[in-house]
């Protein structure tokens, strides 16, 4: 038994006609939709409006800033109800950002699929406890998180409060709106663990959810935190390039003085045999300050677009 993919459902799931068209034949969205509707049944619309999904990225885990982010979310009226560890893979990133990667540079894609692959993350489901009747919890979370571009953020947004220095080292990803919660949970949580999360959302045991998330924060805090400093990460990479020979050092110096654009495959050649010794977080942090991010092309979905929800109060009642 499941809720039908009819006009009423889509009005509660997205305000973007293009997303409705794309997701209607997106197997990942459909898997999440059928899973949730089987567990939630007649609660589908109300629970979908209340839940927000947050992915704490590898820099948050390596820098041991998960608990800080969670505290800020709690203060904003979001309560964790479930949390799961995520081991990133190249395929996972392609699935998660299928539509956004259409306008990403090859180096931005490689930064995730070559260097972030194999690192750790945490995905958490949050219920919005503070009333926001004019829009779903996922949209409120999206707004509080703030955009990727530093110059477009407000001081009170999460990425600003966490001192995110650029659009890549931005600590968190959040689902844009209800349709994305369904799709992204299907991507980030394995099938054998997913029903547990759907049920936790329905049960809304805030004490258990917070305990799960804090236990994961402790699990990933066994060693010293990464400094997440672009210059310091660069110094560590420079030492590896220098150890690989003069050519490697020259390339690295040219990148840091911006005489050359950072090309990840060239950086990997400059590192040479030392590449295997490099902390991938160092590459992510350093490249975040130098890599070319996006191409001047339109994507099928605008990553920072959440239009129309404030006008749809009646859908959420």
């Amino acid at each position: 038994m499941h809720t039908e993919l009819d006009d009423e459902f889509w009005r509660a799931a997205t305000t973007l006609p293009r997303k409705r068209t794309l997701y209607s034949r997106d197997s990942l969205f459909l898997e999440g939709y059928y899973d949730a509707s089987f567990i939630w049944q007649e609660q589908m619309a109300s629970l979908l409006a209340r839940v927000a999904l947050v992915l704490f990225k590898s820099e948050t885990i390596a820098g041991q800033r998960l608990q800080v982010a969670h505290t800020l979310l709690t203060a904003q009226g979001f309560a964790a109800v479930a949390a799961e560890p995520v081991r990133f893979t190249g395929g996972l990133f392609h699935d998660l950002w299928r539509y956004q990667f259409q306008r990403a540079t090859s180096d931005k894609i490689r930064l995730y699929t070559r260097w972030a692959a194999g690192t750790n993350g945490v995905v958490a489901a949050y219920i919005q406890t503070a009333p926001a009747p004019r829009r779903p919890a996922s949209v409120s979370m999206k707004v509080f998180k703030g955009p990727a571009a530093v110059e477009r953020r407000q001081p009170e947004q999460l990425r600003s409060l966490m001192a995110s220095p650029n659009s890549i080292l931005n600590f968190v990803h959040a689902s844009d709106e209800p349709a994305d919660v369904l799709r992204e949970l299907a991507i980030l949580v394995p099938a054998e663990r997913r029903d547990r999360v759907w049920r936790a959302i329905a049960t809304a045991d805030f004490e258990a959810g917070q305990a799960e998330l804090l236990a994961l924060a402790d699990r990933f805090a066994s060693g010293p935190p990464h400094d997440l400093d672009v210059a310091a990460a660069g110094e560590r990479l420079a030492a590896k390039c220098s150890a690989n020979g003069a050519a490697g050092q020259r390339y690295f110096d040219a990148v840091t003085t911006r005489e050359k654009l950072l090309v990840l495959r060239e950086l990997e050649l400059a590192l040479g045999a030392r590449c295997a010794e490099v902390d991938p977080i160092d590459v992510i942090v350093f490249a975040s300050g130098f890599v070319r991010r996006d191409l001047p092309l339109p994507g099928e979905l605008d990553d920072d677009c959440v239009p129309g929800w404030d006008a749809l109060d009646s859908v959420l009642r």
Side-chain angles (χ1 to χ4, degrees):
M1 177 180 177
H2 59 79
T3 305
E4 292 298 326
L5 278 165
D6 54 18
D7 288 344
E8 182 179 359
F9 167 80
W10 283 115
R11 283 195 297 272
T14 181
T15 61
L16 301 174
R18 182 60 176 159
K19 183 176 288 184
R20 174 175 177 171
T21 300
L22 291 168
Y23 282 17
S24 293
R25 51 181 185 266
D26 185 310
S27 62
L28 294 164
F29 167 78
L30 293 171
E31 182 177 6
Y33 163 76
Y34 288 126
D35 276 355
S37 61
F38 184 85
I39 301 296
W40 292 347
Q41 298 194 21
E42 69 277 1
Q43 293 181 285
M44 181 76 168
S46 60
L47 290 174
L48 193 55
R50 293 186 66 204
V51 66
L53 199 67
V54 177
L55 175 64
F56 299 99
K57 295 170 60 187
S58 53
E59 61 266 25
T60 310
I61 306 306
Q64 297 181 16
R65 301 191 187 186
L66 174 55
Q67 189 165 345
V68 170
H70 171 65
T71 299
L72 291 168
L73 290 171
T74 301
Q76 192 66 20
F78 294 99
V81 293
E84 286 280 333
V86 177
R87 187 71 168 175
F88 292 119
T89 68
L92 183 149
F93 284 121
H94 276 291
D95 285 339
L96 185 63
W97 292 317
R98 174 178 296 168
Y99 304 103
Q100 291 74 30
F101 271 2
Q102 292 170 345
R103 51 189 169 85
T105 63
S106 59
D107 278 298
K108 181 178 177 180
I109 294 171
R110 187 169 180 82
L111 186 62
Y112 285 103
T113 60
R114 164 65 176 87
W115 289 99
T119 63
N120 297 306
V122 170
V123 61
Y126 282 86
I127 295 292
Q128 188 168 23
T129 57
R134 296 178 64 188
R135 60 192 179 196
S138 52
V139 177
S140 295
M141 180 69 80
K142 171 80 172 179
V143 172
F144 175 59
K145 177 203 67 177
V150 177
E151 67 275 9
R152 294 176 54 201
R153 297 179 198 155
Q154 300 301 314
E156 68 275 12
Q157 291 178 314
L158 179 62
R159 285 171 169 167
S160 297
L161 294 170
M162 293 186 70
S164 160
N166 54 56
S167 63
I168 289 177
L169 210 66
N170 56 35
F171 298 114
V172 296
H173 165 78
S175 301
D176 292 354
E177 51 182 352
D180 300 289
V181 171
L182 299 177
R183 182 177 185 274
E184 293 176 9
L185 205 148
I187 295 167
L188 295 167
V189 180
E192 68 273 14
R193 298 284 294 167
R194 209 175 296 144
D195 284 2
R196 186 199 75 83
V197 177
W198 300 124
R199 291 191 175 98
I201 292 168
T203 304
D205 185 334
F206 301 146
E207 184 176 346
Q210 173 160 285
E212 277 185 15
L213 191 142
L214 295 180
L216 286 172
D218 289 341
R219 170 177 162 182
F220 291 120
S222 58
H226 195 285
D227 54 39
L228 303 181
D229 181 85
V230 174
E235 289 174 4
R236 291 187 287 269
L237 291 176
K240 299 292 186 184
C241 288
S242 178
N244 194 47
Q249 183 64 55
R250 283 197 298 273
Y251 173 78
F252 194 87
D253 290 345
V255 169
T256 55
T257 58
R258 300 191 185 274
E259 294 174 27
K260 290 179 67 72
L261 287 172
L262 174 63
V263 176
L264 281 173
R265 286 188 176 274
E266 293 179 354
L267 175 61
E268 291 158 14
L269 289 173
L271 290 165
R274 301 288 183 176
C275 201
E277 304 169 5
V278 169
D279 181 348
I281 303 298
D282 275 346
V283 177
I284 294 168
V285 171
F286 175 74
S288 75
F290 292 90
V291 76
R292 187 182 177 207
R293 291 161 174 75
D294 295 307
L295 299 168
L297 300 171
E300 288 189 280
L301 294 174
D302 182 352
D303 189 45
D304 286 324
C305 189
V306 286
W309 282 110
D310 287 349
L312 294 178
D313 184 36
S314 61
V315 172
L316 305 178
R317 290 179 183 269

